Amino acid sequence: MPEIILANHSSDALNRAIGRLRAGGIVAVPTETVYGLAADATNGEAVAKIFAAKQRPSFNPLICHVDGMVMAQEYGRFGSVAERLANTFWPGPLTLVLPLLPDCGIHDLVTAGLDSIGLRCPRGFARQVISALGRPLAAPSANRSGRISPTSAQHVAEEFADETLLVLDAGPCETGLESTIMKIDGSKLVLLRPGAITAEEIAEVAGQAVELPDTDGKVLAPGMLQSHYAPDAQVRLECETCPKGAAWLGFGNRTAPPNACAALNLSETSNLVEAAANLYAYLKQLDASGTEVICVSPIPNEDLGIAINDRLRRAAAPRCVESSE
Ligand code: TXA
Ligand code: MG
């Protein structure tokens, strides 16, 4: 059974988390995006426990969370654009994939043997944990591979109900969607995963265009695999109505179809930030109603709507769980 403790500013939660992490254990930590399942990124045995708990394929690398630029520069090679992006958007929901510095101490399991590393400086309690530990934390989203990311401590506890796991509870996540992932590849900027920080914002700070990855079948960020973030129910997109017995996930001021068996609205005022924060919790809630189909109304494909639609398309895609994260 997981144990949930409040991640407030008392030193108790911090001390217990640090104790577990130093001993090579894993701890679920809150960030502004989603809850992460964290281990000391320099300890291979500890990192292996993340892969085991998540049932995650070991070729899928983990994001390395740091408390700021000084720590980040011990592990990744920052050029001037990367430095500018980090200085502008950190702490915050941006992961930078950069060349990995040789012999920097990050365990190979974290990078899945690649010569690059995903670095992110999170907001919230996770950052305090990293500072207190004095080491980076490898942390994927705290869900079993291929399933919906958790945006509350309760989601994490339900997902890992049969594990002994310490879960630090800082309430619901502010953003509710995983970080934007930007790869800096030589002089190119490639968007590997859309998120709360948009490609436009990044292009403006970088002073150069952002490219979308080649989709010639090569997997750049395994999180880009088609099926992902999947509830048990089948997900249908761009719905105007729904069949009898299906659940309805609405957006904006249109009313739910009368024959929906359950209905929730991501944001009645069509606020995309609110919709992003509600997305995973509402998908879980509708899934728990036992329905076989969740119909989602159209969501504008702009700003944060791009990331919301990205996650919804993956939730709706044919399932291939072995290769997702
Ligand atoms: O918001 C987030 O990013 C959350 C919180 C916990 O920080 N983490 C998260 O981690 O979403 P995860 O493991 O669920 O997704 C990380 C994605 C994966 O798709 C992985 O393939 C990609 O980042 N990734 C990590 N390192 C990479 C690298 N060196 N090159 C390419 N992709 C990488
Ligand atoms: Mg994930």
Side-chain angles (χ1 to χ4, degrees):
M1 269 278 282
E3 182 188 357
I4 299 183
I5 58 171
L6 279 185
N8 51 26
H9 297 284
S10 82
S11 52
D12 186 46
L14 199 56
N15 288 342
R16 289 201 52 203
I18 298 302
R20 293 248 175 142
L21 292 165
R22 288 223 169 98
I26 56 178
V27 176
V29 294
T31 82
E32 79 283 34
T33 58
V34 299
Y35 278 70
L37 197 59
D40 175 349
T42 65
N43 180 338
E45 266 178 53
V47 174
K49 290 179 190 164
I50 298 179
F51 283 92
K54 277 187 64 108
Q55 294 152 3
R56 174 167 168 135
S58 57
F59 57 76
N60 192 355
L62 306 179
I63 294 173
C64 207
H65 296 69
V66 293
D67 66 352
M69 269 304 260
V70 172
M71 190 184 277
Q73 283 174 322
E74 287 178 42
Y75 304 104
R77 179 167 291 121
F78 281 74
S80 59
V81 169
E83 206 171 317
R84 206 154 60 239
L85 291 173
N87 286 333
T88 307
F89 296 113
W90 284 1
L94 175 66
T95 297
L96 293 172
V97 175
L98 303 175
L100 175 71
L101 290 180
D103 304 318
C104 64
I106 291 294
H107 197 274
D108 273 352
L109 261 181
V110 175
T111 53
L114 299 174
D115 55 8
S116 61
I117 181 167
L119 288 164
R120 167 164 124 78
C121 175
R123 284 204 292 265
F125 199 73
R127 191 171 176 217
Q128 287 181 46
V129 175
I130 299 163
S131 292
L133 184 70
R135 293 206 181 149
L137 287 179
S141 49
N143 52 279
R144 302 238 196 238
S145 202
R147 298 183 49 83
I148 299 173
S149 294
T151 53
S152 73
Q154 285 68 29
H155 291 165
V156 179
E158 283 161 20
E159 190 75 0
F160 296 101
D162 49 349
E163 306 259 345
T164 333
L165 176 68
L166 185 66
V167 184
L168 302 178
D169 182 358
C173 300
E174 181 190 327
T175 306
L177 285 182
E178 304 81 357
S179 60
T180 306
I181 306 182
M182 184 60 63
K183 180 167 187 177
I184 308 210
D185 197 1
S187 60
K188 285 196 301 188
L189 283 181
V190 186
L191 181 69
L192 299 188
R193 181 172 73 185
I197 297 177
T198 63
E200 289 78 15
E201 288 175 281
I202 290 170
E204 194 176 318
V205 171
Q208 69 182 85
V210 167
E211 300 177 23
L212 299 179
D214 289 340
T215 41
D216 58 355
K218 231 176 42 199
V219 173
L220 290 175
M224 294 176 64
L225 288 165
Q226 255 205 339
S227 168
H228 203 64
Y229 313 106
D232 290 330
Q234 186 201 101
V235 176
R236 292 189 194 158
L237 306 180
E238 309 274 337
C239 298
E240 302 291 344
T241 59
C242 73
K244 193 160 183 283
W248 175 256
L249 186 58
F251 178 83
N253 59 9
R254 69 179 78 189
T255 45
N259 53 354
C261 69
L264 289 171
N265 194 317
L266 288 169
S267 171
E268 283 176 5
T269 58
S270 301
N271 179 330
L272 290 167
V273 175
E274 183 185 22
N278 287 333
L279 180 67
Y280 290 147
Y282 284 11
L283 279 174
K284 274 177 182 280
Q285 227 172 296
L286 293 178
D287 211 21
S289 75
T291 181
E292 285 178 11
V293 179
I294 300 173
C295 294
V296 187
S297 73
I299 297 187
N301 208 38
E302 62 199 27
D303 302 327
L304 204 41
I306 294 173
I308 297 174
N309 283 321
D310 169 78
R311 306 305 191 273
L312 280 171
R313 273 195 301 276
R314 290 170 210 284
R319 310 287 156 86
C320 64
V321 171
E322 315 83 66
S323 39
S324 44
E325 70 202 46

